[in-house]
Amino acid sequence: MSRFQRAIVVGASSGIGEALALRLARAGAQVAIVARREEELQRVAKEDPERLHPYVHDVADLDGTTALFERIEADLGGVDTLVYAAGVMPGVEEGEYSFEKDRAMITVNVLGAMAWMNLAAARFEAARSGTLIGISSIAGERGRRGNPGYCTSKAALSTYLESLRNRCSRYGVNVVTIKPGFVDTAMTRGMKGLFWVISADEAARRSLAIAQRGRSSGGFVPARWALVAWVVRLLPSFIFKRLNF
Ligand SMILES: NC(=O)c1ccc[n+]([C@@H]2O[C@H](COP(=O)([O-])OP(=O)(O)OC[C@H]3O[C@@H](n4cnc5c(N)ncnc54)[C@H](OP(=O)(O)O)[C@@H]3O)[C@@H](O)[C@H]2O)c1
């Protein structure tokens, strides 16, 4: 895993981000792990204190991103990989239209990603190398009735990552969009009707395998979700709006 030597994983205190950080560390990378919950970050860091370095940060503190990025850069002696896995998906009830929840999802899932990715992209473009990995979702493929704010945030993240890829791939920067299906994490715990559920570690393994290819635009995790995405995108609106998901 030589292309990932000095990594930042934002949203590394649990779930997919934690699993990605552990895998990167196991492969020999120095990894800055970023999230709000200090005790969870400490728990993750204990797995490999030599390689996992905790930084407590709320991505909603958008103005604090630059200072923290620079601090991590100085601590690690540079950064060649940024993984943005932070995300929230509060439950939305039938008949509920909560701007507070929508704002939280857009702030964490989209604005936070832009704040971190822009800083990394500028450096990677100048260095003519580097990898940006964004954890988006199959939920961004269509606007489903169940959670408009979440679908919007993931569609925005996927589009942002595509633009970033088109902007900096010519400078040797690899921008990878990962679109998981259902993953067994705190985010999905207790949810009904899930299928093809994989573990966070399996999601991390598959995500890094895609990113490792280099010059890959990303993919669905696992790949069979590409078929679902294809069908879902083809469904005409008059059918899609009758569906209950
Ligand atoms: N689970 C799934 O089925 C699934 C499917 C598709 C995509 N995804 C995406 O995968 C990503 C990881 O989610 P997960 O399933 O692993 O859920 P998770 O276990 O709840 O992890 C979410 C991570 O985001 C961090 N986070 C949330 N708000 C934050 C904030 N304001 N500032 C900093 N960090 C914040 C959390 O850390 P703190 O709470 O400590 O801050 C945590 O580390 C998300 O982007 C999610 O949308 C998940």
Side-chain angles (χ1 to χ4, degrees):
M1 216 176 273
S2 57
R3 73 172 64 236
F4 314 129
Q5 295 287 327
R6 297 185 190 92
I8 302 176
V9 181
V10 184
S13 60
S14 61
I16 301 169
E18 172 184 347
L20 283 162
L22 292 175
R23 279 192 167 266
L24 286 165
R26 253 181 256 136
Q30 289 295 322
V31 188
I33 51 175
V34 180
R36 291 168 302 179
R37 289 170 296 165
E38 185 169 11
E39 65 286 7
E40 292 304 313
L41 287 176
Q42 295 294 353
R43 175 185 60 75
V44 178
K46 270 197 197 129
E47 296 285 325
D48 189 346
E50 299 291 307
R51 298 189 189 280
L52 293 160
H53 313 284
Y55 295 86
V56 176
H57 171 73
D58 184 340
V59 297
D61 173 20
L62 298 165
D63 294 332
T65 316
T66 304
L68 180 55
F69 197 108
E70 287 171 357
R71 200 177 121 213
I72 292 171
E73 239 178 348
D75 291 351
L76 300 189
V79 173
D80 56 42
T81 306
L82 174 74
V83 181
Y84 194 89
V88 288
M89 186 182 67
V92 177
E93 301 297 322
E94 183 73 22
E96 180 185 10
Y97 295 89
S98 165
F99 178 67
E100 281 311 303
K101 290 181 179 178
D102 287 345
R103 178 159 62 186
M105 288 187 274
I106 295 297
T107 304
V108 175
N109 303 359
V110 185
L111 295 179
M114 292 168 119
W116 280 88
M117 295 261 178
N118 279 348
L119 291 169
R123 285 156 172 81
F124 294 173
E125 180 175 313
R128 299 296 195 257
S129 69
T131 303
L132 293 156
I133 303 174
I135 309 300
S136 188
S137 172
I138 188 162
E141 298 299 294
R142 277 302 279 271
R144 293 179 292 117
R145 72 187 304 277
N147 195 332
Y150 187 72
C151 293
T152 302
S153 74
K154 291 302 181 179
L157 179 60
S158 294
T159 302
Y160 168 73
L161 290 165
E162 182 182 16
S163 291
L164 215 54
R165 180 177 314 115
N166 294 338
R167 195 180 171 102
C168 41
S169 63
R170 68 191 63 183
Y171 301 109
V173 183
N174 199 23
V175 182
V176 183
T177 308
I178 298 298
K179 296 177 179 178
F182 294 124
V183 183
D184 182 20
T185 67
M187 187 175 275
T188 52
R189 218 146 283 154
M191 282 173 64
K192 298 208 171 23
L194 307 188
F195 57 98
W196 292 350
V197 180
I198 60 171
S199 70
D201 185 56
E202 182 61 8
R205 186 185 70 75
R206 288 172 183 265
S207 301
L208 288 177
I210 292 169
Q212 183 77 353
R213 277 183 224 143
R215 303 251 159 227
S216 163
S217 58
F220 291 89
V221 168
R224 58 182 173 266
W225 282 98
L227 183 65
V228 176
W230 180 71
V231 171
V232 160
R233 276 197 305 267
L234 282 179
L235 281 178
S237 183
F238 74 90
I239 294 176
F240 199 67
K241 71 183 176 190
R242 288 164 196 262
L243 301 180
N244 268 331
F245 71 97

